[in-house]
Amino acid sequence: MRHLTEIDDLDADELGRVLELASLPDAPRVLAGKGAALVFEKPSARTRNSMEMAVVQLGGHPVYIQGGEVGLDRRESVEDVTRTLACYHAVVGARVYDHAVVERMAAVDVVPVVNMLSDTAHPLQALADLLTLRREFGELAGRVVAYVGDANNVARSLALAGAMAGMAVRVAAPPGHTFADADRTRIESVAAAHGGALVVTDDPHRAVNGADAVYTDVWTSMGQEDEAEQRRADFAGFTVDGRLMAEARHGAIFLHCLPAHRGEEVTADVVDGPRSRVWVQAANRMHAARGLLAWLVGEAV
């Protein structure tokens, strides 16, 4: 039984295979006649729509479940909810506040479990990011992606995925918002094993200079609303604007996992400009999810 709680649950060859499956013009019908339980403690536009349509394209039936309907660790334990859903479904996806929840689901080991987002990881987004970069540039090894902003769950999964693909990942974050030491060590270890590299800095210009892609995310994520004012102060100078993009290499693209707050982490001329690939990236969430599910259900059994 295989699960995806973080992107490096895959090895480099498996990651490549998932991206190949995501690129197939005809989806294998590996979920024909089967269900997929999609549990959402946190709401989402892209994750819900991309996962539901990925399941449909694989021939399955997605069931959207709000967190309150199952009451993880309130009505029933996480483990019992997982066992119950496995009675009806071939795969369980969970978008949760606490990463330990998806780890506990996976530990039950009855059906494949997919982390649709947790507080520390967003592997589905990382798959879509690599798919976007691969479709734009072809071979990823040696390419440079610069992430500017909060070194959050999106940045962590992106850095791990990029390192696995042999990319140089540069992360520019202000003090207090960078990777924990354990995360940095983990990413550096993956990079060393696959010919990638990690650079962590508090200087956006150092990160972006000569990069193939520039990436950012919101400064205040869901659940951090009480910190919004302080975060705006902390991230002053970290806005991706036209001047910063000009420091990337010629032909560089802009990425954002969305939603975007124009005028905060990115200016409108960048996110809506000709170098932006954010809508391609959003569409690739569906293709990446389809590739992952096709691998988990069709090949990794």
Short mmCIF file of all heavy atoms in Angstrom, two decimals, residues 28-68:
data_model
loop_
_atom_site.label_atom_id
_atom_site.label_comp_id
_atom_site.label_asym_id
_atom_site.label_seq_id
_atom_site.Cartn_x
_atom_site.Cartn_y
_atom_site.Cartn_z
N PRO A 28 -6.13 6.48 -17.90
CA PRO A 28 -6.49 5.08 -17.66
C PRO A 28 -7.67 5.00 -16.70
O PRO A 28 -7.73 5.73 -15.72
CB PRO A 28 -5.22 4.49 -17.05
CG PRO A 28 -4.52 5.65 -16.43
CD PRO A 28 -4.83 6.83 -17.31
N ARG A 29 -8.60 4.11 -16.95
CA ARG A 29 -9.85 4.05 -16.17
C ARG A 29 -9.66 3.18 -14.92
O ARG A 29 -10.42 2.24 -14.67
CB ARG A 29 -10.97 3.53 -17.05
CG ARG A 29 -11.15 4.28 -18.36
CD ARG A 29 -11.83 5.62 -18.18
NE ARG A 29 -13.25 5.44 -17.93
CZ ARG A 29 -14.09 6.45 -17.72
NH1 ARG A 29 -13.64 7.69 -17.71
NH2 ARG A 29 -15.37 6.23 -17.50
N VAL A 30 -8.67 3.51 -14.13
CA VAL A 30 -8.31 2.66 -12.99
C VAL A 30 -9.31 2.77 -11.84
O VAL A 30 -9.30 1.95 -10.92
CB VAL A 30 -6.89 2.99 -12.49
CG1 VAL A 30 -5.85 2.69 -13.56
CG2 VAL A 30 -6.79 4.43 -12.03
N LEU A 31 -10.16 3.80 -11.86
CA LEU A 31 -11.16 3.96 -10.80
C LEU A 31 -12.57 3.63 -11.28
O LEU A 31 -13.55 3.98 -10.61
CB LEU A 31 -11.12 5.39 -10.25
CG LEU A 31 -9.95 5.72 -9.32
CD1 LEU A 31 -9.94 7.20 -8.96
CD2 LEU A 31 -10.00 4.87 -8.06
N ALA A 32 -12.70 2.96 -12.41
CA ALA A 32 -14.02 2.63 -12.93
C ALA A 32 -14.83 1.84 -11.90
O ALA A 32 -14.37 0.82 -11.39
CB ALA A 32 -13.89 1.82 -14.22
N GLY A 33 -16.00 2.35 -11.58
CA GLY A 33 -16.87 1.69 -10.62
C GLY A 33 -16.45 1.85 -9.17
O GLY A 33 -17.01 1.19 -8.28
N LYS A 34 -15.48 2.73 -8.91
CA LYS A 34 -14.95 2.89 -7.55
C LYS A 34 -15.15 4.33 -7.06
O LYS A 34 -15.33 5.25 -7.85
CB LYS A 34 -13.46 2.54 -7.51
CG LYS A 34 -13.16 1.11 -7.93
CD LYS A 34 -11.67 0.83 -7.94
CE LYS A 34 -11.38 -0.60 -8.39
NZ LYS A 34 -9.92 -0.88 -8.44
N GLY A 35 -15.10 4.49 -5.76
CA GLY A 35 -15.26 5.80 -5.16
C GLY A 35 -13.96 6.36 -4.62
O GLY A 35 -13.01 5.63 -4.36
N ALA A 36 -13.95 7.68 -4.45
CA ALA A 36 -12.83 8.38 -3.82
C ALA A 36 -13.40 9.31 -2.77
O ALA A 36 -14.20 10.20 -3.10
CB ALA A 36 -12.02 9.16 -4.85
N ALA A 37 -13.04 9.12 -1.52
CA ALA A 37 -13.49 9.96 -0.42
C ALA A 37 -12.56 11.15 -0.28
O ALA A 37 -11.35 10.97 -0.10
CB ALA A 37 -13.53 9.16 0.89
N LEU A 38 -13.08 12.36 -0.36
CA LEU A 38 -12.29 13.58 -0.29
C LEU A 38 -12.74 14.37 0.93
O LEU A 38 -13.79 15.00 0.91
CB LEU A 38 -12.46 14.38 -1.58
CG LEU A 38 -12.20 13.61 -2.88
CD1 LEU A 38 -12.45 14.51 -4.09
CD2 LEU A 38 -10.78 13.04 -2.92
N VAL A 39 -11.95 14.33 1.99
CA VAL A 39 -12.30 14.93 3.27
C VAL A 39 -11.66 16.31 3.37
O VAL A 39 -10.44 16.45 3.25
CB VAL A 39 -11.82 14.05 4.44
CG1 VAL A 39 -12.20 14.69 5.78
CG2 VAL A 39 -12.39 12.65 4.33
N PHE A 40 -12.48 17.33 3.60
CA PHE A 40 -12.02 18.71 3.64
C PHE A 40 -12.30 19.33 5.01
O PHE A 40 -13.41 19.76 5.29
CB PHE A 40 -12.71 19.55 2.56
CG PHE A 40 -12.18 19.33 1.17
CD1 PHE A 40 -12.54 18.20 0.45
CD2 PHE A 40 -11.31 20.23 0.59
CE1 PHE A 40 -12.06 17.99 -0.83
CE2 PHE A 40 -10.81 20.03 -0.70
CZ PHE A 40 -11.19 18.90 -1.41
N GLU A 41 -11.28 19.38 5.88
CA GLU A 41 -11.38 20.21 7.08
C GLU A 41 -11.26 21.68 6.70
O GLU A 41 -11.85 22.54 7.34
CB GLU A 41 -10.28 19.85 8.08
CG GLU A 41 -10.48 18.57 8.83
CD GLU A 41 -9.51 18.41 9.97
OE1 GLU A 41 -8.32 18.75 9.82
OE2 GLU A 41 -9.93 17.94 11.04
N LYS A 42 -10.44 21.96 5.67
CA LYS A 42 -10.24 23.32 5.16
C LYS A 42 -10.85 23.40 3.76
O LYS A 42 -10.58 22.53 2.93
CB LYS A 42 -8.75 23.66 5.11
CG LYS A 42 -8.04 23.59 6.43
CD LYS A 42 -6.55 23.83 6.29
CE LYS A 42 -6.23 25.28 6.02
NZ LYS A 42 -4.78 25.57 6.08
N PRO A 43 -11.64 24.42 3.46
CA PRO A 43 -12.24 24.53 2.13
C PRO A 43 -11.19 24.88 1.08
O PRO A 43 -10.11 25.37 1.39
CB PRO A 43 -13.25 25.65 2.29
CG PRO A 43 -12.71 26.49 3.40
CD PRO A 43 -12.03 25.54 4.34
N SER A 44 -11.53 24.62 -0.18
CA SER A 44 -10.63 24.95 -1.28
C SER A 44 -11.39 24.97 -2.59
O SER A 44 -12.28 24.13 -2.80
CB SER A 44 -9.49 23.93 -1.37
OG SER A 44 -8.72 24.16 -2.54
N ALA A 45 -11.01 25.90 -3.47
CA ALA A 45 -11.58 25.92 -4.82
C ALA A 45 -10.81 24.97 -5.74
O ALA A 45 -11.38 24.05 -6.35
CB ALA A 45 -11.55 27.34 -5.40
N ARG A 46 -9.49 25.17 -5.84
CA ARG A 46 -8.69 24.40 -6.78
C ARG A 46 -8.58 22.93 -6.37
O ARG A 46 -8.68 22.03 -7.21
CB ARG A 46 -7.29 25.03 -6.92
CG ARG A 46 -7.25 26.21 -7.89
CD ARG A 46 -6.10 27.15 -7.59
NE ARG A 46 -6.29 27.80 -6.31
CZ ARG A 46 -7.09 28.87 -6.12
NH1 ARG A 46 -7.73 29.39 -7.15
NH2 ARG A 46 -7.23 29.42 -4.93
N THR A 47 -8.34 22.68 -5.09
CA THR A 47 -8.15 21.29 -4.67
C THR A 47 -9.41 20.48 -4.86
O THR A 47 -9.37 19.35 -5.38
CB THR A 47 -7.70 21.23 -3.19
OG1 THR A 47 -6.46 21.93 -3.05
CG2 THR A 47 -7.52 19.79 -2.74
N ARG A 48 -10.56 21.01 -4.48
CA ARG A 48 -11.79 20.24 -4.65
C ARG A 48 -12.08 19.98 -6.12
O ARG A 48 -12.33 18.84 -6.52
CB ARG A 48 -12.98 20.97 -4.01
CG ARG A 48 -14.28 20.19 -4.23
CD ARG A 48 -15.49 20.83 -3.60
NE ARG A 48 -16.67 20.02 -3.88
CZ ARG A 48 -17.89 20.30 -3.44
NH1 ARG A 48 -18.11 21.38 -2.69
NH2 ARG A 48 -18.91 19.52 -3.74
N ASN A 49 -12.05 21.01 -6.93
CA ASN A 49 -12.40 20.84 -8.34
C ASN A 49 -11.40 19.98 -9.08
O ASN A 49 -11.78 19.12 -9.90
CB ASN A 49 -12.55 22.21 -9.00
CG ASN A 49 -13.85 22.88 -8.64
OD1 ASN A 49 -14.88 22.60 -9.23
ND2 ASN A 49 -13.82 23.76 -7.64
N SER A 50 -10.12 20.16 -8.82
CA SER A 50 -9.11 19.38 -9.53
C SER A 50 -9.18 17.91 -9.13
O SER A 50 -9.09 17.01 -9.98
CB SER A 50 -7.71 19.94 -9.26
OG SER A 50 -7.38 19.89 -7.89
N MET A 51 -9.35 17.62 -7.84
CA MET A 51 -9.42 16.23 -7.39
C MET A 51 -10.70 15.56 -7.88
O MET A 51 -10.68 14.40 -8.32
CB MET A 51 -9.32 16.17 -5.88
CG MET A 51 -7.91 16.33 -5.34
SD MET A 51 -6.83 14.94 -5.77
CE MET A 51 -7.43 13.68 -4.64
N GLU A 52 -11.83 16.24 -7.78
CA GLU A 52 -13.07 15.63 -8.24
C GLU A 52 -13.00 15.30 -9.73
O GLU A 52 -13.39 14.20 -10.15
CB GLU A 52 -14.25 16.55 -7.94
CG GLU A 52 -14.61 16.62 -6.47
CD GLU A 52 -16.01 17.18 -6.22
OE1 GLU A 52 -16.76 17.39 -7.19
OE2 GLU A 52 -16.33 17.41 -5.04
N MET A 53 -12.51 16.23 -10.52
CA MET A 53 -12.45 15.97 -11.96
C MET A 53 -11.41 14.92 -12.31
O MET A 53 -11.59 14.14 -13.25
CB MET A 53 -12.19 17.27 -12.72
CG MET A 53 -13.37 18.22 -12.71
SD MET A 53 -14.93 17.44 -13.22
CE MET A 53 -14.51 16.83 -14.86
N ALA A 54 -10.31 14.86 -11.56
CA ALA A 54 -9.32 13.82 -11.79
C ALA A 54 -9.93 12.44 -11.55
O ALA A 54 -9.71 11.50 -12.33
CB ALA A 54 -8.11 14.03 -10.88
N VAL A 55 -10.70 12.31 -10.48
CA VAL A 55 -11.36 11.04 -10.18
C VAL A 55 -12.35 10.68 -11.30
O VAL A 55 -12.39 9.53 -11.76
CB VAL A 55 -12.08 11.11 -8.82
CG1 VAL A 55 -12.96 9.88 -8.60
CG2 VAL A 55 -11.07 11.25 -7.69
N VAL A 56 -13.12 11.66 -11.75
CA VAL A 56 -14.09 11.41 -12.83
C VAL A 56 -13.37 10.94 -14.09
O VAL A 56 -13.80 10.00 -14.76
CB VAL A 56 -14.92 12.68 -13.10
CG1 VAL A 56 -15.72 12.54 -14.40
CG2 VAL A 56 -15.85 12.97 -11.94
N GLN A 57 -12.27 11.60 -14.44
CA GLN A 57 -11.54 11.24 -15.65
C GLN A 57 -10.95 9.84 -15.58
O GLN A 57 -10.71 9.21 -16.61
CB GLN A 57 -10.45 12.28 -15.92
CG GLN A 57 -11.02 13.62 -16.36
CD GLN A 57 -9.98 14.73 -16.36
OE1 GLN A 57 -8.80 14.50 -16.08
NE2 GLN A 57 -10.42 15.94 -16.67
N LEU A 58 -10.72 9.35 -14.35
CA LEU A 58 -10.21 7.99 -14.16
C LEU A 58 -11.35 6.98 -14.03
O LEU A 58 -11.11 5.81 -13.76
CB LEU A 58 -9.31 7.94 -12.92
CG LEU A 58 -8.01 8.75 -13.02
CD1 LEU A 58 -7.33 8.85 -11.65
CD2 LEU A 58 -7.06 8.14 -14.04
N GLY A 59 -12.59 7.46 -14.23
CA GLY A 59 -13.75 6.58 -14.22
C GLY A 59 -14.42 6.41 -12.88
O GLY A 59 -15.37 5.63 -12.76
N GLY A 60 -13.94 7.12 -11.85
CA GLY A 60 -14.46 6.95 -10.51
C GLY A 60 -15.51 7.96 -10.12
O GLY A 60 -15.89 8.84 -10.89
N HIS A 61 -15.98 7.83 -8.88
CA HIS A 61 -17.01 8.72 -8.33
C HIS A 61 -16.45 9.42 -7.09
O HIS A 61 -16.20 8.78 -6.07
CB HIS A 61 -18.26 7.93 -7.95
CG HIS A 61 -19.36 8.80 -7.39
ND1 HIS A 61 -20.17 9.56 -8.20
CD2 HIS A 61 -19.75 9.05 -6.12
CE1 HIS A 61 -21.03 10.23 -7.44
NE2 HIS A 61 -20.79 9.93 -6.17
N PRO A 62 -16.23 10.74 -7.15
CA PRO A 62 -15.72 11.46 -5.99
C PRO A 62 -16.84 11.81 -5.02
O PRO A 62 -17.95 12.15 -5.43
CB PRO A 62 -15.13 12.73 -6.61
CG PRO A 62 -15.96 12.96 -7.84
CD PRO A 62 -16.37 11.61 -8.34
N VAL A 63 -16.55 11.70 -3.73
CA VAL A 63 -17.51 12.08 -2.69
C VAL A 63 -16.85 13.14 -1.82
O VAL A 63 -15.86 12.88 -1.14
CB VAL A 63 -17.94 10.88 -1.84
CG1 VAL A 63 -18.87 11.33 -0.71
CG2 VAL A 63 -18.64 9.84 -2.70
N TYR A 64 -17.40 14.36 -1.87
CA TYR A 64 -16.90 15.48 -1.08
C TYR A 64 -17.45 15.38 0.34
O TYR A 64 -18.67 15.25 0.54
CB TYR A 64 -17.32 16.80 -1.72
CG TYR A 64 -17.01 18.03 -0.92
CD1 TYR A 64 -15.73 18.57 -0.92
CD2 TYR A 64 -17.99 18.67 -0.16
CE1 TYR A 64 -15.44 19.71 -0.20
CE2 TYR A 64 -17.70 19.82 0.56
CZ TYR A 64 -16.42 20.33 0.55
OH TYR A 64 -16.13 21.46 1.27
N ILE A 65 -16.57 15.42 1.33
CA ILE A 65 -16.96 15.25 2.73
C ILE A 65 -16.40 16.42 3.53
O ILE A 65 -15.17 16.59 3.61
CB ILE A 65 -16.43 13.92 3.29
CG1 ILE A 65 -16.92 12.73 2.46
CG2 ILE A 65 -16.84 13.75 4.76
CD1 ILE A 65 -16.22 11.43 2.76
N GLN A 66 -17.26 17.22 4.12
CA GLN A 66 -16.81 18.29 5.00
C GLN A 66 -16.31 17.70 6.31
O GLN A 66 -16.81 16.66 6.78
CB GLN A 66 -17.94 19.28 5.27
CG GLN A 66 -18.37 20.07 4.04
CD GLN A 66 -19.46 21.06 4.35
OE1 GLN A 66 -20.24 20.88 5.27
NE2 GLN A 66 -19.50 22.14 3.57
N GLY A 67 -15.33 18.37 6.91
CA GLY A 67 -14.74 17.85 8.13
C GLY A 67 -15.76 17.58 9.22
O GLY A 67 -15.67 16.58 9.94
N GLY A 68 -16.76 18.46 9.34
CA GLY A 68 -17.78 18.29 10.36
C GLY A 68 -18.64 17.06 10.17
O GLY A 68 -19.28 16.58 11.13
#
